[in-house]
Amino acid sequence: MDVVVAGGGVAGAACAIALRRIGARVTVYEAYEDPVGQVGSFVSLAGNGLRGLERLGCLEAVQRAGFPVARQRMWASSGKLLGDVPRGRRSADDLHGMTLMRGELVRTLRAAASRGGARVVTGERVTGSVARGDGVRVTLEGGREIGADLLVGADGLWSPTRKILDPAAPAPVYAGICNVSGVARGLDLEPGVFNLVFAGAGAFLHVVAPGGAVWWSAQVNCAEEPDPTAVADLARLAECYRTERVPSSILRAATEVHRPTLSHVLAPARVWRDDRIALVGDAAHPVGAGQGASMAIEDAVVLARSLAAASTVPDALAAYERARRPRVAKVARMAEDNRDAKVAGPVKRSLNDLFMPFFIRHFYERATGWLYAYQP
């Protein structure tokens, strides 16, 4: 089976690994050669994503590229502790969630895909395709066409493949949040803990990396779509978080600021596949809630297993969609609730501060166990 993968990010590289493991001949087309530049922020992998990597044979390589984080603490703007829970896992699970830079995750997975025999072509992207009976004609930038048995659209939130499948597919919409991340140094903060502050200006995340550097991310609430470079001004950011003690101290100690990004949301895509084309990862379902990478890895494992088990490609893609849609929809609903909590106004934040400790103490494990216990 000849497979073309559009996109060489987390989803595309994971698919390349998974499909090589079932014997497919895989070529990945990715526009960007260097995945490691200062773009975006750090990424977390929960237990379900890590078990997916274990199935792909590259868990240890990813663990070497990042560091484990055992606990997550949630804080009110006032500094009140709202909850202290296992990070990305059930309490009985000794496979701790991992944190690493997104670029390092992509680089590690691409290297694993290449070692496994996948061909990774950078500087070129898929721009079109037409399914024709027993195959698909894929158009590359510049007009060159190649044939394949399957096209996997792993080309992210702004996926051209999604539009190929469904010209009426929804487009991403600005979500009211600008993300600014960076590194701070010289602070004495506890390692092994992922911290989330429900601040007045927007959620603020931070975690101590090996060596003592603090990785931070400010998710600034901006109702009107801003100029990201203006939001990334450190003096302005510090002013936004001036009433929150720890975020303001981190911003004062910041030594690096990465290129900011705007958050977008996507209405549920009606079409995920036809008989020769399938979407994975953010191209099909950007979920957020710290689960984007883990969901993409799950997709890759399930797609490969479906292809290995089915007698035809169309049957395999139908099985893949049946297996993934209900779970992804449930994660998306959870992500929407998380996003609402981060952009809550003063009254709703006060109510959250009051009721969240009770919920976390008595219901959190039951409410999240289905997510983290999943075996791809």
Side-chain angles (χ1 to χ4, degrees):
M1 179 190 301
D2 289 306
V3 181
V4 168
V5 178
V10 174
C15 279
I17 297 166
L19 293 169
R20 280 297 301 141
R21 288 172 73 87
I22 64 167
R25 293 173 294 276
V26 182
T27 304
V28 178
Y29 289 96
E30 164 58 44
Y32 301 103
E33 182 173 356
D34 179 12
V36 186
Q38 286 190 334
V39 178
S41 182
F42 48 89
V43 62
S44 293
L45 290 166
N48 52 305
L50 295 172
R51 277 185 284 274
L53 291 175
E54 191 171 32
R55 301 292 187 275
L56 299 181
C58 52
L59 174 60
E60 291 184 3
V62 171
Q63 287 175 322
R64 287 193 296 271
F67 57 94
V69 181
R71 308 293 300 175
Q72 174 169 315
R73 291 182 187 145
M74 289 154 278
W75 304 87
S77 177
S78 64
K80 173 186 176 182
L81 180 63
L82 301 176
D84 184 341
V85 298
R87 173 66 176 165
R89 62 188 173 93
R90 296 169 298 165
S91 56
D93 193 345
D94 59 3
L95 183 59
H96 291 181
M98 295 293 300
T99 295
L100 69 168
M101 293 303 294
R102 180 176 296 277
E104 290 297 332
L105 175 58
V106 174
R107 183 163 62 181
T108 301
L109 293 180
R110 279 193 199 174
S114 296
R115 286 195 304 272
R119 179 169 169 251
V120 180
V121 179
T122 58
E124 200 166 6
R125 74 178 80 203
V126 172
T127 58
S129 67
V130 178
R132 294 177 177 171
D134 60 352
V136 59
R137 296 298 299 176
V138 178
T139 305
L140 302 175
E141 226 166 17
R144 184 164 67 94
E145 287 193 351
I146 56 175
D149 298 299
L150 170 65
L151 169 63
V152 178
D155 40 3
L157 181 65
W158 301 92
S159 168
T161 312
R162 187 193 310 122
K163 284 292 187 181
I164 292 168
L165 277 173
D166 179 13
V173 176
Y174 173 60
I177 298 173
C178 181
N179 303 289
V180 187
S181 65
V183 178
R185 303 183 190 278
L187 297 167
D188 184 17
L189 297 176
E190 183 179 354
V193 179
F194 186 95
N195 295 276
L196 165 59
V197 181
F198 293 98
F204 191 92
L205 319 175
H206 69 275
V207 62
V208 179
V214 178
W215 293 2
W216 57 267
S217 178
Q219 300 179 350
V220 187
N221 299 336
C222 303
E224 299 296 325
E225 188 169 333
D227 172 5
T229 58
V231 179
D233 178 79
L234 268 177
R236 178 175 177 179
L237 267 181
E239 176 65 18
C240 289
Y241 291 91
R242 66 187 183 280
T243 60
E244 284 87 21
R245 183 180 62 83
V246 175
S248 61
S249 67
I250 291 172
L251 290 171
R252 286 195 301 271
T255 57
E256 297 177 27
V257 180
H258 300 162
R259 195 172 78 201
T261 59
L262 300 179
S263 287
H264 292 80
V265 293
L266 184 75
R270 184 175 61 88
V271 181
W272 279 20
R273 51 95 192 174
D274 62 12
D275 285 350
R276 293 287 165 174
I277 305 170
L279 302 177
V280 296
D282 284 355
H285 51 69
V287 294
Q291 276 286 322
S294 292
M295 286 292 113
I297 293 164
E298 286 186 15
D299 284 352
V301 175
V302 175
L303 177 62
R305 288 180 67 92
S306 299
L307 286 163
S311 56
T312 69
V313 171
D315 288 345
L317 300 189
Y320 159 73
E321 182 175 15
R322 285 195 303 271
R324 295 302 293 156
R325 272 213 186 254
R327 177 166 170 82
V328 166
K330 192 171 181 180
V331 175
R333 289 193 295 271
M334 182 188 75
E336 187 174 358
D337 291 340
N338 287 356
R339 190 164 52 248
D340 288 346
K342 291 178 180 178
V343 300
V347 174
K348 190 170 182 180
R349 281 205 314 275
S350 296
L351 292 173
N352 287 343
D353 294 353
L354 182 62
F355 293 110
M356 195 178 290
F358 177 83
F359 172 82
I360 292 172
R361 188 165 53 250
H362 295 286
F363 301 106
Y364 178 84
E365 182 110 2
R366 191 185 315 165
T368 58
W370 63 272
L371 176 61
Y372 301 135
Y374 179 74
Q375 298 282 349

